[in-house]
Amino acid sequence: MQKQISNLDKLTLSNDFLFKHVMLRKRICKHILEELLHTEIADITYLEAEQTIDVYPDSHGIRLDVRIADTANTHYNLEMQVKNPVNRATGKFLLPKRTRYYQAMLDTDMLQKGQDYDELSPTYIIFFCLFDFFQDSQRIYTFKKRCLENMNIELADEAVIMFLNTLGTKGDVSPDIQSLFDYINSNTINSNFTREVADTIVEIKNDKKVRDAYMTYEMRMKDLRDEAHAEGLAEGKAQGLAEGKAEGLAEGKAEGLAEGKAKEKTATAKRLLSMGLSVEDIAKATSLSVEQVETIKAE
């Protein structure tokens, strides 16, 4: 029990569990969205936090940290991204296509059967990144679809992807957003807003329901890690068996070829002996040693 509590006490805002609970505080979350988008938001409503969307039974489900809608029916998905995930097999970074999949799943989940496409709500997928994915030092990278032949033409699908680079040095952000970035990076409190965030975190950590939820969360993460480890062991064992079988086949094939080649040399040597050639000449013709030809002759 004490270990689980200690782990919770050590969490910072960059942890997705704590990030979700802070963003569930309406005043903080609403203020962040207003400061990022430079607009006033009358109110926000929380859709199911940390919702897993499985649109089809065999589809790849996605876990959303925080999903919100405002009074104008604009939908927001906020995500904390500490690491820059990469496919070990291909070496390709996963974040760009993850946003593509998130957008597709959000839209499919949002549009019920029989509804028109124009009923899709405007969406913002916002990643708080503790790394600079695009290596251009921008504080915010905002993506909308535009025509390559004429960049002034925008595809008005009302879908926006934003990567917030907490390490960025280029581009303007409000003082509160910059102080939030500083707080995420180093736990530094340098504004009234980050003081409010820090106080909220203390309050959250002292909430018994949150502590219980974190213990459940930790156990679930451990189960997932154990399952992944077991799957990895099984795959490794299967791969090892397959590789062993392949190696055995290759060795058997090589041995068979070598044995066949040796028999062919022996048969050739016998024919040449019957023709009266010397042992030395036969050894040269067949690449056998003189001793080997002598043995064949003795037989």
Side-chain angles (χ1 to χ4, degrees), residues 102-274:
Y102 275 32
Q103 185 66 61
M105 293 298 99
L106 285 171
D107 288 345
T108 307
D109 183 63
M110 193 185 306
L111 194 65
Q112 301 300 315
K113 186 176 181 180
Q115 289 183 302
D116 293 329
Y117 295 116
D118 62 359
E119 294 183 63
L120 283 171
S121 301
T123 59
Y124 285 83
I125 296 177
I126 303 173
F127 279 85
F128 288 76
C129 298
L130 275 68
F131 52 89
D132 187 356
F133 183 83
F134 300 98
Q135 300 294 310
D136 192 44
S137 299
Q138 299 293 336
R139 290 182 171 92
I140 300 178
Y141 299 93
T142 303
F143 291 88
K144 297 181 179 181
K145 297 184 181 69
R146 292 189 177 274
C147 176
L148 294 179
E149 289 72 22
N150 183 347
M151 295 299 286
N152 291 320
I153 300 176
E154 178 185 338
L155 181 64
D157 61 356
E158 298 185 305
V160 181
I161 309 292
M162 297 177 71
F163 296 90
L164 310 184
N165 171 24
T166 63
L167 304 176
T169 56
K170 296 180 182 177
D172 295 329
V173 294
S174 72
D176 277 356
I177 292 298
Q178 183 58 56
S179 69
L180 180 65
F181 287 175
D182 295 338
Y183 184 72
I184 291 172
N185 291 332
S186 60
N187 226 30
T188 302
I189 299 171
N190 54 21
S191 70
N192 291 333
F193 178 58
T194 48
R195 167 53 62 192
E196 180 182 358
V197 172
D199 290 344
T200 300
I201 288 175
V202 172
E203 181 183 336
I204 288 170
K205 288 180 177 180
N206 288 327
D207 188 321
K208 185 179 184 303
K209 289 184 178 179
V210 174
R211 288 184 175 276
D212 292 343
Y214 183 67
M215 290 176 66
T216 302
Y217 169 84
E218 282 280 85
M219 287 187 286
R220 186 177 66 183
M221 291 298 103
K222 182 180 183 303
D223 289 343
L224 290 174
R225 288 192 295 269
D226 290 345
E227 288 175 9
H229 181 66
E231 289 177 3
L233 287 175
E235 289 178 6
K237 185 176 181 180
Q239 183 177 352
L241 289 172
E243 290 176 355
K245 184 177 180 180
E247 289 176 4
L249 289 172
E251 288 176 6
K253 184 177 180 181
E255 290 177 2
L257 289 172
E259 185 178 344
K261 192 172 182 180
K263 288 183 178 179
E264 183 182 348
K265 287 183 179 182
T266 299
T268 301
K270 288 180 178 180
R271 287 197 300 270
L272 294 177
L273 284 168
S274 66

